[in-house]
Coordinates of all heavy atoms in Angstrom, one line a residue:
M1 N 39.1 -16.2 -34.2 CA 38.8 -17.4 -33.5 C 37.4 -17.9 -33.9 O 36.4 -17.2 -33.9 CB 38.8 -17.1 -32.0 CG 39.2 -18.3 -31.2 SD 39.0 -18.0 -29.5 CE 40.5 -18.5 -28.8
A2 N 37.3 -19.2 -34.2 CA 36.0 -19.8 -34.6 C 35.2 -20.2 -33.4 O 35.8 -20.8 -32.4 CB 36.2 -20.9 -35.5
T3 N 33.9 -19.9 -33.4 CA 33.1 -20.4 -32.3 C 31.9 -21.3 -32.8 O 31.6 -21.3 -34.0 CB 32.5 -19.2 -31.5 OG1 31.6 -18.5 -32.4 CG2 33.5 -18.3 -30.9
D4 N 31.2 -21.9 -32.0 CA 30.0 -22.7 -32.4 C 28.7 -22.0 -32.2 O 27.6 -22.6 -32.2 CB 30.0 -24.0 -31.5 CG 31.0 -25.0 -32.0 OD1 31.3 -25.0 -33.2 OD2 31.5 -25.8 -31.2
N5 N 28.8 -20.7 -32.1 CA 27.6 -19.9 -31.9 C 26.5 -20.1 -32.9 O 25.3 -20.2 -32.5 CB 27.9 -18.4 -31.8 CG 28.4 -17.9 -30.5 OD1 28.2 -18.7 -29.5 ND2 28.9 -16.7 -30.3
G6 N 26.8 -20.2 -34.2 CA 25.8 -20.4 -35.2 C 25.0 -21.7 -35.0 O 23.8 -21.7 -35.0
K7 N 25.7 -22.8 -34.7 CA 25.1 -24.1 -34.5 C 24.2 -24.0 -33.3 O 23.1 -24.5 -33.3 CB 26.2 -25.1 -34.2 CG 26.6 -25.9 -35.4 CD 27.5 -27.0 -34.9 CE 28.4 -27.5 -36.1 NZ 29.5 -28.3 -35.6
F8 N 24.6 -23.4 -32.2 CA 23.9 -23.3 -31.0 C 22.5 -22.6 -31.2 O 21.5 -23.1 -30.8 CB 24.7 -22.6 -29.9 CG 24.0 -22.5 -28.6 CD1 23.9 -23.6 -27.8 CD2 23.5 -21.3 -28.1 CE1 23.3 -23.6 -26.5 CE2 22.9 -21.2 -26.9 CZ 22.8 -22.4 -26.1
S9 N 22.6 -21.4 -31.8 CA 21.3 -20.7 -32.0 C 20.4 -21.4 -32.9 O 19.2 -21.4 -32.7 CB 21.6 -19.3 -32.5 OG 22.2 -19.3 -33.7
A10 N 20.9 -22.2 -33.9 CA 20.0 -23.0 -34.8 C 19.3 -24.0 -34.0 O 18.1 -24.2 -34.2 CB 20.9 -23.6 -35.9
S11 N 19.9 -24.7 -33.1 CA 19.2 -25.8 -32.3 C 18.3 -25.1 -31.3 O 17.2 -25.7 -31.0 CB 20.2 -26.7 -31.6 OG 21.0 -26.0 -30.7
E12 N 18.6 -24.0 -30.8 CA 17.7 -23.3 -29.9 C 16.4 -22.9 -30.6 O 15.3 -23.1 -30.0 CB 18.4 -22.0 -29.4 CG 19.3 -22.2 -28.2 CD 18.6 -22.6 -26.9 OE1 17.8 -21.7 -26.4 OE2 18.7 -23.7 -26.5
S13 N 16.5 -22.3 -31.8 CA 15.2 -21.9 -32.5 C 14.4 -23.1 -32.9 O 13.2 -23.1 -32.9 CB 15.6 -21.0 -33.7 OG 16.3 -21.8 -34.6
L14 N 15.1 -24.2 -33.2 CA 14.3 -25.5 -33.5 C 13.5 -25.9 -32.3 O 12.4 -26.3 -32.4 CB 15.3 -26.5 -33.9 CG 14.7 -27.8 -34.5 CD1 14.1 -27.6 -35.9 CD2 15.7 -29.0 -34.5
R15 N 14.1 -25.9 -31.1 CA 13.5 -26.3 -29.9 C 12.2 -25.5 -29.7 O 11.2 -25.9 -29.2 CB 14.4 -26.2 -28.7 CG 14.1 -27.2 -27.6 CD 14.7 -26.9 -26.3 NE 16.1 -26.9 -26.4 CZ 16.9 -26.3 -25.4 NH1 16.4 -25.7 -24.4 NH2 18.2 -26.4 -25.5
K16 N 12.3 -24.1 -29.9 CA 11.2 -23.2 -29.6 C 10.0 -23.6 -30.5 O 8.9 -23.4 -30.1 CB 11.7 -21.8 -29.9 CG 12.1 -21.1 -28.6 CD 12.5 -19.7 -28.9 CE 13.3 -19.2 -27.7 NZ 14.0 -17.9 -28.0
T17 N 10.2 -24.0 -31.8 CA 9.1 -24.3 -32.6 C 8.4 -25.6 -32.3 O 7.3 -25.9 -32.7 CB 9.5 -24.4 -34.1 OG1 10.5 -25.4 -34.2 CG2 10.1 -23.1 -34.6
R18 N 9.1 -26.4 -31.4 CA 8.5 -27.7 -31.1 C 7.8 -27.7 -29.8 O 7.9 -28.7 -29.0 CB 9.6 -28.8 -31.1 CG 10.3 -28.9 -32.4 CD 11.1 -30.2 -32.5 NE 10.5 -31.1 -33.4 CZ 10.3 -32.4 -33.1 NH1 10.7 -32.9 -32.0 NH2 9.8 -33.2 -34.0
T19 N 7.0 -26.7 -29.5 CA 6.3 -26.7 -28.2 C 4.9 -27.3 -28.5 O 4.3 -27.1 -29.5 CB 6.1 -25.3 -27.7 OG1 5.6 -24.4 -28.7 CG2 7.3 -24.7 -27.1
F20 N 4.4 -28.1 -27.5 CA 3.2 -28.8 -27.7 C 2.1 -27.9 -27.0 O 2.4 -27.0 -26.3 CB 3.2 -30.2 -27.1 CG 4.0 -31.1 -28.0 CD1 5.4 -31.2 -27.8 CD2 3.4 -31.7 -29.1 CE1 6.1 -32.1 -28.6 CE2 4.2 -32.5 -29.9 CZ 5.5 -32.7 -29.7
G21 N 0.8 -28.4 -27.2 CA -0.3 -27.6 -26.6 C -0.2 -27.6 -25.1 O 0.2 -28.5 -24.4
K22 N -0.7 -26.5 -24.5 CA -0.8 -26.3 -23.1 C -2.3 -26.3 -22.7 O -3.1 -25.8 -23.5 CB -0.1 -25.0 -22.7 CG 1.4 -25.1 -22.7 CD 2.0 -23.8 -22.4 CE 3.4 -23.8 -22.8 NZ 4.0 -22.5 -22.9
V23 N -2.5 -26.7 -21.5 CA -3.9 -26.6 -20.9 C -3.8 -25.8 -19.6 O -2.8 -25.7 -19.0 CB -4.6 -28.0 -20.7 CG1 -4.9 -28.6 -22.1 CG2 -3.7 -28.9 -19.9
R24 N -4.9 -25.3 -19.2 CA -5.0 -24.5 -18.0 C -5.6 -25.4 -16.9 O -6.6 -26.1 -17.1 CB -5.8 -23.3 -18.2 CG -5.4 -22.1 -17.3 CD -5.8 -20.8 -17.9 NE -4.7 -20.2 -18.6 CZ -4.1 -19.1 -18.1 NH1 -4.6 -18.5 -17.0 NH2 -3.2 -18.5 -18.7
C25 N -5.1 -25.3 -15.7 CA -5.6 -26.1 -14.6 C -7.0 -25.7 -14.3 O -7.3 -24.5 -14.3 CB -4.7 -25.8 -13.4 SG -5.2 -26.7 -11.9
H26 N -7.9 -26.7 -14.1 CA -9.3 -26.3 -13.9 C -9.6 -25.9 -12.5 O -10.8 -25.6 -12.2 CB -10.2 -27.6 -14.3 CG -10.4 -27.6 -15.8 ND1 -11.5 -28.4 -16.3 CD2 -9.8 -27.0 -16.8 CE1 -11.4 -28.2 -17.6 NE2 -10.4 -27.4 -18.0
N27 N -8.7 -26.0 -11.6 CA -8.9 -25.6 -10.2 C -9.0 -24.0 -10.2 O -8.0 -23.3 -10.6 CB -7.7 -26.0 -9.4 CG -7.8 -25.6 -7.9 OD1 -8.7 -24.9 -7.6 ND2 -6.9 -26.2 -7.1
P28 N -10.1 -23.5 -9.9 CA -10.4 -22.0 -10.0 C -9.4 -21.2 -9.2 O -9.1 -20.1 -9.5 CB -11.8 -21.8 -9.5 CG -12.4 -23.2 -9.3 CD -11.3 -24.2 -9.3
S29 N -8.9 -21.8 -8.1 CA -7.9 -21.0 -7.3 C -6.5 -21.2 -7.7 O -5.6 -20.8 -7.1 CB -8.1 -21.4 -5.8 OG -7.9 -22.8 -5.6
C30 N -6.3 -22.0 -8.8 CA -4.9 -22.3 -9.3 C -4.7 -21.7 -10.7 O -3.9 -20.8 -10.9 CB -4.7 -23.8 -9.2 SG -3.1 -24.2 -10.0
M31 N -5.5 -22.2 -11.7 CA -5.4 -21.8 -13.1 C -3.9 -21.9 -13.6 O -3.5 -21.1 -14.5 CB -5.9 -20.3 -13.2 CG -7.3 -20.2 -12.8 SD -8.5 -21.1 -13.8 CE -8.5 -19.9 -15.2
G32 N -3.1 -22.8 -13.1 CA -1.8 -23.0 -13.5 C -1.7 -23.5 -14.9 O -2.7 -24.1 -15.4
R33 N -0.6 -23.3 -15.6 CA -0.4 -23.8 -17.0 C 0.2 -25.2 -16.9 O 1.2 -25.4 -16.3 CB 0.5 -22.9 -17.8 CG -0.3 -21.7 -18.3 CD 0.5 -21.0 -19.3 NE -0.2 -19.7 -19.6 CZ 0.3 -18.8 -20.4 NH1 1.5 -18.9 -20.8 NH2 -0.4 -17.7 -20.7
L34 N -0.5 -26.1 -17.6 CA 0.0 -27.5 -17.6 C 0.5 -27.8 -19.0 O -0.1 -27.4 -20.0 CB -1.1 -28.5 -17.3 CG -1.9 -28.1 -16.0 CD1 -3.0 -29.1 -15.8 CD2 -1.0 -28.2 -14.8
E35 N 1.7 -28.5 -19.1 CA 2.2 -28.9 -20.4 C 2.3 -30.4 -20.4 O 3.3 -31.0 -20.1 CB 3.6 -28.3 -20.6 CG 3.6 -26.9 -20.9 CD 5.0 -26.4 -21.2 OE1 5.6 -26.7 -22.2 OE2 5.5 -25.6 -20.4
P36 N 1.2 -31.1 -20.9 CA 1.2 -32.6 -20.9 C 2.2 -33.1 -21.9 O 2.4 -32.5 -23.0 CB -0.2 -32.9 -21.2 CG -1.0 -31.7 -21.6 CD -0.1 -30.5 -21.4
E37 N 2.7 -34.3 -21.6 CA 3.6 -35.0 -22.5 C 2.7 -35.4 -23.7 O 1.5 -35.9 -23.4 CB 4.1 -36.2 -21.9 CG 5.2 -36.0 -20.8 CD 6.5 -35.7 -21.5 OE1 6.9 -36.4 -22.4 OE2 7.2 -34.7 -21.1
P38 N 3.1 -35.3 -24.9 CA 2.3 -35.8 -26.1 C 1.8 -37.2 -25.9 O 2.6 -38.1 -25.6 CB 3.2 -35.6 -27.3 CG 4.3 -34.7 -26.8 CD 4.4 -34.8 -25.3
G39 N 0.5 -37.4 -26.0 CA 0.0 -38.8 -25.9 C -0.3 -39.2 -24.5 O -0.9 -40.3 -24.3
S40 N 0.0 -38.5 -23.5 CA -0.2 -38.9 -22.1 C -1.7 -38.9 -21.8 O -2.4 -38.0 -22.3 CB 0.6 -38.1 -21.1 OG 0.2 -36.8 -21.2
E41 N -2.2 -39.8 -20.9 CA -3.6 -39.9 -20.6 C -4.1 -39.0 -19.5 O -5.2 -38.7 -19.3 CB -4.0 -41.3 -20.4 CG -4.0 -42.1 -21.7 CD -4.4 -43.5 -21.5 OE1 -4.7 -43.9 -20.4 OE2 -4.5 -44.2 -22.5
Q42 N -3.1 -38.7 -18.6 CA -3.5 -37.8 -17.5 C -2.3 -36.9 -17.1 O -1.1 -37.2 -17.4 CB -4.1 -38.5 -16.3 CG -3.2 -39.6 -15.7 CD -3.9 -40.4 -14.6 OE1 -5.0 -40.8 -14.8 NE2 -3.3 -40.5 -13.5
I43 N -2.6 -35.8 -16.3 CA -1.5 -35.0 -15.9 C -1.9 -34.4 -14.5 O -3.0 -34.2 -14.2 CB -1.3 -33.8 -16.9 CG1 0.0 -33.0 -16.5 CG2 -2.5 -32.9 -17.0 CD1 0.4 -32.1 -17.6
S44 N -0.8 -34.3 -13.7 CA -1.0 -33.7 -12.4 C -0.5 -32.3 -12.4 O 0.6 -32.0 -12.9 CB -0.2 -34.5 -11.3 OG -0.8 -35.7 -11.2
C45 N -1.3 -31.3 -11.8 CA -0.8 -30.0 -11.8 C 0.3 -29.8 -10.8 O 0.2 -30.2 -9.6 CB -2.0 -29.1 -11.4 SG -1.5 -27.4 -11.2
P46 N 1.5 -29.3 -11.2 CA 2.6 -29.1 -10.3 C 2.3 -28.1 -9.2 O 3.0 -28.1 -8.2 CB 3.7 -28.7 -11.2 CG 3.1 -28.1 -12.5 CD 1.7 -28.8 -12.6
T47 N 1.3 -27.2 -9.4 CA 1.1 -26.1 -8.5 C 0.1 -26.6 -7.4 O 0.4 -26.4 -6.2 CB 0.5 -24.9 -9.2 OG1 1.3 -24.6 -10.3 CG2 0.4 -23.7 -8.3
C48 N -1.0 -27.2 -7.7 CA -2.0 -27.6 -6.7 C -2.2 -29.1 -6.5 O -2.8 -29.5 -5.6 CB -3.4 -26.9 -7.0 SG -4.2 -27.6 -8.5
G49 N -1.6 -29.9 -7.4 CA -1.6 -31.3 -7.2 C -2.9 -32.0 -7.8 O -3.0 -33.2 -7.7
M50 N -3.8 -31.3 -8.4 CA -5.0 -31.9 -8.9 C -4.6 -32.7 -10.2 O -3.7 -32.3 -10.9 CB -6.0 -30.8 -9.4 CG -6.7 -30.1 -8.3 SD -8.1 -31.1 -7.7 CE -9.4 -30.6 -8.9
T51 N -5.2 -33.8 -10.4 CA -4.9 -34.7 -11.5 C -6.1 -34.7 -12.5 O -7.2 -34.8 -12.0 CB -4.6 -36.1 -11.0 OG1 -3.5 -36.0 -10.1 CG2 -4.2 -37.0 -12.2
Y52 N -5.8 -34.6 -13.7 CA -6.8 -34.5 -14.8 C -6.6 -35.6 -15.8 O -5.5 -35.9 -16.2 CB -6.8 -33.1 -15.5 CG -7.1 -32.0 -14.5 CD1 -6.0 -31.2 -14.1 CD2 -8.3 -31.8 -14.1 CE1 -6.3 -30.2 -13.2 CE2 -8.6 -30.7 -13.2 CZ -7.6 -29.9 -12.8 OH -7.8 -28.9 -11.9
R53 N -7.7 -36.0 -16.4 CA -7.7 -36.9 -17.5 C -7.6 -36.1 -18.8 O -8.2 -35.0 -18.9 CB -9.0 -37.7 -17.6 CG -8.9 -39.1 -16.9 CD -10.2 -39.8 -17.1 NE -10.8 -40.2 -15.8 CZ -10.4 -41.2 -15.1 NH1 -9.5 -42.0 -15.5 NH2 -11.0 -41.5 -14.0
L54 N -6.8 -36.5 -19.7 CA -6.6 -35.8 -20.9 C -7.3 -36.4 -22.1 O -7.5 -37.6 -22.2 CB -5.1 -35.6 -21.2 CG -4.3 -34.8 -20.2 CD1 -2.8 -35.0 -20.6 CD2 -4.7 -33.4 -20.3
F55 N -7.6 -35.5 -23.1 CA -8.2 -36.0 -24.3 C -7.5 -35.2 -25.4 O -7.2 -34.0 -25.2 CB -9.7 -35.6 -24.2 CG -10.4 -35.3 -25.5 CD1 -10.7 -36.3 -26.4 CD2 -10.8 -34.0 -25.7 CE1 -11.4 -36.0 -27.5 CE2 -11.5 -33.7 -26.9 CZ -11.8 -34.7 -27.8
W56 N -7.0 -35.8 -26.5 CA -6.2 -35.2 -27.5 C -7.1 -34.8 -28.7 O -7.5 -35.8 -29.4 CB -5.0 -36.0 -27.9 CG -4.1 -36.1 -26.7 CD1 -4.1 -36.9 -25.6 CD2 -2.9 -35.2 -26.4 NE1 -3.1 -36.7 -24.7 CE2 -2.4 -35.6 -25.2 CE3 -2.3 -34.2 -27.1 CZ2 -1.2 -35.0 -24.7 CZ3 -1.2 -33.6 -26.6 CH2 -0.7 -34.0 -25.4
V57 N -7.3 -33.6 -29.0 CA -8.1 -33.1 -30.1 C -7.3 -33.5 -31.4 O -7.8 -34.0 -32.3 CB -8.3 -31.6 -30.0 CG1 -9.1 -31.1 -31.2 CG2 -9.0 -31.2 -28.7
T58 N -6.0 -33.1 -31.4 CA -5.0 -33.5 -32.4 C -3.8 -34.1 -31.6 O -3.8 -33.9 -30.4 CB -4.6 -32.4 -33.3 OG1 -3.7 -31.5 -32.6 CG2 -5.8 -31.5 -33.8
P59 N -2.9 -34.7 -32.3 CA -1.7 -35.2 -31.6 C -1.0 -34.2 -30.8 O -0.2 -34.5 -29.9 CB -0.9 -35.9 -32.6 CG -1.8 -36.3 -33.7 CD -2.9 -35.2 -33.7
E60 N -1.2 -32.9 -31.1 CA -0.5 -31.8 -30.4 C -1.4 -30.9 -29.7 O -0.9 -29.9 -29.1 CB 0.3 -31.0 -31.5 CG 1.4 -31.8 -32.0 CD 2.2 -31.1 -33.1 OE1 2.1 -29.8 -33.2 OE2 3.0 -31.7 -33.8
L61 N -2.7 -31.2 -29.6 CA -3.6 -30.3 -28.9 C -4.4 -31.0 -27.9 O -5.4 -31.7 -28.1 CB -4.6 -29.6 -30.0 CG -5.5 -28.6 -29.4 CD1 -4.8 -27.4 -28.8 CD2 -6.5 -28.1 -30.5
P62 N -4.0 -30.9 -26.6 CA -4.6 -31.5 -25.5 C -5.8 -30.7 -24.9 O -5.8 -29.5 -25.0 CB -3.5 -31.7 -24.4 CG -2.6 -30.5 -24.7 CD -2.8 -30.1 -26.2
R63 N -6.8 -31.4 -24.4 CA -7.9 -30.8 -23.7 C -8.0 -31.6 -22.4 O -7.8 -32.8 -22.3 CB -9.2 -31.0 -24.5 CG -9.3 -29.9 -25.6 CD -9.7 -28.6 -25.0 NE -9.3 -27.5 -25.9 CZ -9.9 -27.1 -27.0 NH1 -11.0 -27.7 -27.4 NH2 -9.4 -26.2 -27.8
I64 N -8.5 -30.9 -21.3 CA -8.8 -31.6 -20.1 C -10.2 -32.2 -20.2 O -11.2 -31.5 -20.5 CB -8.7 -30.7 -18.9 CG1 -7.2 -30.4 -18.6 CG2 -9.4 -31.3 -17.6 CD1 -7.0 -29.4 -17.5
R65 N -10.3 -33.6 -20.0 CA -11.6 -34.3 -20.1 C -12.3 -34.1 -18.8 O -13.5 -34.0 -18.7 CB -11.3 -35.7 -20.4 CG -12.5 -36.5 -20.8 CD -12.2 -38.0 -20.7 NE -11.3 -38.5 -21.6 CZ -11.7 -39.1 -22.7 NH1 -12.9 -39.3 -23.0 NH2 -10.8 -39.6 -23.6
G66 N -11.5 -34.2 -17.7 CA -12.1 -34.0 -16.3 C -11.1 -34.4 -15.3 O -10.1 -35.0 -15.6
P67 N -11.5 -34.1 -14.0 CA -10.6 -34.5 -13.0 C -10.6 -36.0 -12.7 O -11.6 -36.6 -12.9 CB -11.1 -33.7 -11.8 CG -12.5 -33.3 -12.1 CD -12.6 -33.4 -13.6
V68 N -9.5 -36.5 -12.1 CA -9.4 -37.9 -11.7 C -9.7 -37.9 -10.2 O -8.9 -37.5 -9.4 CB -7.9 -38.4 -11.9 CG1 -7.9 -39.9 -11.4 CG2 -7.6 -38.4 -13.4
W69 N -11.0 -38.3 -9.9 CA -11.5 -38.1 -8.6 C -10.8 -39.0 -7.5 O -10.7 -38.6 -6.4 CB -13.0 -38.4 -8.6 CG -13.8 -37.3 -9.2 CD1 -14.5 -37.3 -10.3 CD2 -13.8 -35.9 -8.8 NE1 -15.0 -36.1 -10.6 CE2 -14.6 -35.2 -9.7 CE3 -13.2 -35.2 -7.7 CZ2 -14.8 -33.8 -9.6 CZ3 -13.4 -33.8 -7.6 CH2 -14.2 -33.1 -8.6
E70 N -10.4 -40.2 -7.9 CA -9.8 -41.1 -6.9 C -8.5 -40.4 -6.4 O -8.3 -40.4 -5.2 CB -9.3 -42.4 -7.6 CG -10.5 -43.2 -8.2 CD -10.1 -43.8 -9.5 OE1 -9.1 -44.3 -9.6 OE2 -10.9 -43.6 -10.5
V71 N -7.7 -39.8 -7.3 CA -6.5 -39.2 -6.9 C -6.8 -37.9 -6.1 O -6.2 -37.7 -5.0 CB -5.6 -38.8 -8.1 CG1 -4.4 -38.1 -7.6 CG2 -5.3 -40.1 -8.9
N72 N -7.7 -37.1 -6.6 CA -8.0 -35.8 -5.9 C -8.7 -36.0 -4.6 O -8.5 -35.2 -3.6 CB -8.9 -35.0 -6.8 CG -8.2 -34.6 -8.1 OD1 -7.0 -34.5 -8.1 ND2 -8.9 -34.4 -9.2
R73 N -9.5 -37.1 -4.4 CA -10.2 -37.3 -3.2 C -9.2 -37.7 -2.1 O -9.2 -37.3 -1.0 CB -11.2 -38.4 -3.3 CG -12.3 -38.4 -2.2 CD -13.3 -39.5 -2.4 NE -14.0 -39.4 -3.6 CZ -14.3 -40.5 -4.4 NH1 -14.0 -41.7 -4.0 NH2 -15.0 -40.3 -5.5
K74 N -8.2 -38.6 -2.6 CA -7.1 -39.0 -1.7 C -6.3 -37.8 -1.2 O -6.0 -37.6 0.0 CB -6.2 -39.9 -2.4 CG -5.5 -40.9 -1.5 CD -4.7 -41.9 -2.3 CE -3.3 -42.1 -1.7 NZ -2.4 -42.6 -2.7
L75 N -6.1 -36.9 -2.1 CA -5.3 -35.6 -1.8 C -6.1 -34.8 -0.8 O -5.6 -34.3 0.2 CB -5.2 -34.9 -3.1 CG -4.0 -33.9 -3.2 CD1 -2.8 -34.8 -3.5 CD2 -4.2 -33.0 -4.4
A76 N -7.4 -34.7 -1.0 CA -8.3 -33.9 -0.1 C -8.3 -34.5 1.3 O -8.3 -33.8 2.3 CB -9.7 -33.8 -0.7
E77 N -8.4 -35.9 1.3 CA -8.4 -36.6 2.6 C -7.1 -36.3 3.4 O -7.1 -36.1 4.6 CB -8.6 -38.1 2.4 CG -10.0 -38.4 2.3 CD -10.2 -39.9 1.8 OE1 -9.3 -40.6 1.8 OE2 -11.4 -40.2 1.4
E78 N -6.0 -36.3 2.6 CA -4.7 -36.1 3.2 C -4.6 -34.7 3.8 O -4.1 -34.4 4.9 CB -3.5 -36.3 2.2 CG -3.1 -37.8 2.1 CD -2.3 -38.0 0.9 OE1 -1.6 -37.1 0.4 OE2 -2.2 -39.2 0.5
T79 N -5.1 -33.7 3.0 CA -5.1 -32.3 3.5 C -6.0 -32.2 4.7 O -5.6 -31.5 5.7 CB -5.7 -31.4 2.3 OG1 -5.0 -31.7 1.1 CG2 -5.5 -29.9 2.6
L80 N -7.2 -32.9 4.7 CA -8.1 -32.8 5.8 C -7.4 -33.4 7.1 O -7.5 -32.9 8.2 CB -9.3 -33.6 5.5 CG -10.5 -33.5 6.5 CD1 -11.1 -32.1 6.5 CD2 -11.6 -34.5 6.2
A81 N -6.7 -34.6 6.9 CA -6.0 -35.2 8.0 C -5.0 -34.3 8.6 O -4.9 -34.2 9.8 CB -5.4 -36.5 7.5
K82 N -4.3 -33.6 7.7 CA -3.3 -32.7 8.2 C -3.9 -31.6 9.0 O -3.4 -31.1 10.1 CB -2.5 -32.1 7.0 CG -1.2 -32.9 6.7 CD -0.5 -32.3 5.6 CE 0.3 -33.3 4.8 NZ 0.6 -32.9 3.5
K83 N -5.0 -31.1 8.5 CA -5.7 -30.0 9.2 C -6.2 -30.4 10.6 O -6.1 -29.7 11.5 CB -7.0 -29.5 8.3 CG -6.6 -28.4 7.4 CD -7.9 -27.9 6.7 CE -7.6 -27.2 5.5 NZ -8.7 -27.0 4.6
L84 N -6.8 -31.7 10.6 CA -7.3 -32.2 11.9 C -6.1 -32.3 12.9 O -6.3 -32.0 14.0 CB -7.9 -33.6 11.7 CG -9.3 -33.5 11.0 CD1 -9.8 -34.9 10.7 CD2 -10.3 -32.8 11.8
E85 N -5.0 -32.8 12.4 CA -3.8 -33.0 13.2 C -3.4 -31.6 13.8 O -3.2 -31.5 15.0 CB -2.7 -33.5 12.4 CG -2.4 -35.0 12.8 CD -1.3 -35.6 11.9 OE1 -0.2 -35.0 11.8 OE2 -1.6 -36.6 11.2
S86 N -3.3 -30.6 13.0 CA -2.9 -29.3 13.4 C -3.9 -28.7 14.4 O -3.5 -28.0 15.3 CB -2.5 -28.4 12.3 OG -3.7 -28.2 11.4
S87 N -5.2 -28.9 14.1 CA -6.2 -28.4 15.0 C -6.2 -29.1 16.4 O -6.5 -28.5 17.4 CB -7.6 -28.5 14.4 OG -8.0 -29.8 14.3
K88 N -5.8 -30.4 16.4 CA -5.6 -31.1 17.7 C -4.5 -30.4 18.5 O -4.7 -30.2 19.7 CB -5.2 -32.5 17.4 CG -6.4 -33.5 17.7 CD -5.8 -34.9 17.5 CE -6.6 -35.8 16.6 NZ -5.9 -37.0 16.1
D89 N -3.4 -30.1 17.8 CA -2.3 -29.5 18.5 C -2.7 -28.1 19.0 O -2.3 -27.7 20.1 CB -1.1 -29.3 17.5 CG -0.5 -30.7 17.2 OD1 -0.8 -31.6 17.9 OD2 0.3 -30.7 16.2
A90 N -3.5 -27.4 18.3 CA -3.9 -26.1 18.7 C -4.8 -26.1 19.9 O -4.8 -25.2 20.7 CB -4.6 -25.4 17.5
S91 N -5.6 -27.2 20.0 CA -6.6 -27.2 21.1 C -6.0 -27.6 22.4 O -6.6 -27.5 23.4 CB -7.8 -28.2 20.7 OG -7.2 -29.5 20.7
K92 N -4.8 -28.0 22.4 CA -4.1 -28.4 23.6 C -3.8 -27.2 24.6 O -3.4 -26.2 24.1 CB -2.8 -29.1 23.3 CG -2.9 -30.6 23.4 CD -1.6 -31.3 23.0 CE -1.9 -32.7 22.4 NZ -0.7 -33.3 21.9
Ligands
LIG101 ZN1 -3.5 -26.4 -10.4

């Protein structure tokens, strides 16, 4: 019986060689691995939600240029608001 196994493994190995550069989240309490889309200007960490501006050393090698403060400040305010809400409930 003929199978397509040969074809399948060939496309699998091709996909493995096409990985792009990864960067590490700059949040010291996170350090998650980020895989930015090639050419994208910023990325949000899926683990902690911090957003970073990207800089491409080569088309396949990203570096974090710095955090996007507007987004992160908004995030911090939301977290603070939630904390205040829950502390209000606790003080009742
Ligand atoms: Zn993170």
Side-chain angles (χ1 to χ4, degrees):
M1 211 192 228
T3 64
D4 281 330
N5 273 349
K7 263 187 204 168
F8 182 72
S9 61
S11 65
E12 275 290 293
S13 63
L14 187 73
R15 206 198 298 165
K16 266 181 196 170
T17 60
R18 299 195 108 225
T19 50
F20 288 92
K22 287 174 193 164
V23 288
R24 209 159 257 252
C25 181
H26 278 199
N27 182 349
S29 58
C30 173
M31 300 295 281
R33 279 192 186 171
L34 310 175
E35 285 183 69
E37 289 282 314
S40 59
E41 287 182 359
Q42 59 183 51
I43 189 167
S44 294
C45 176
T47 312
C48 69
M50 287 279 278
T51 302
Y52 298 104
R53 268 184 235 281
L54 293 171
F55 149 74
W56 293 83
V57 182
T58 74
E60 291 178 16
L61 183 61
R63 280 283 152 80
I64 288 178
R65 194 200 287 262
V68 179
W69 287 116
E70 301 136 48
V71 178
N72 296 333
R73 200 182 298 142
K74 207 174 138 202
L75 207 76
E77 275 167 14
E78 276 167 21
T79 312
L80 187 71
K82 267 181 210 160
K83 268 187 200 162
L84 287 175
E85 252 174 58
S86 58
S87 69
K88 253 187 235 164
D89 288 346
S91 66
K92 261 178 206 172

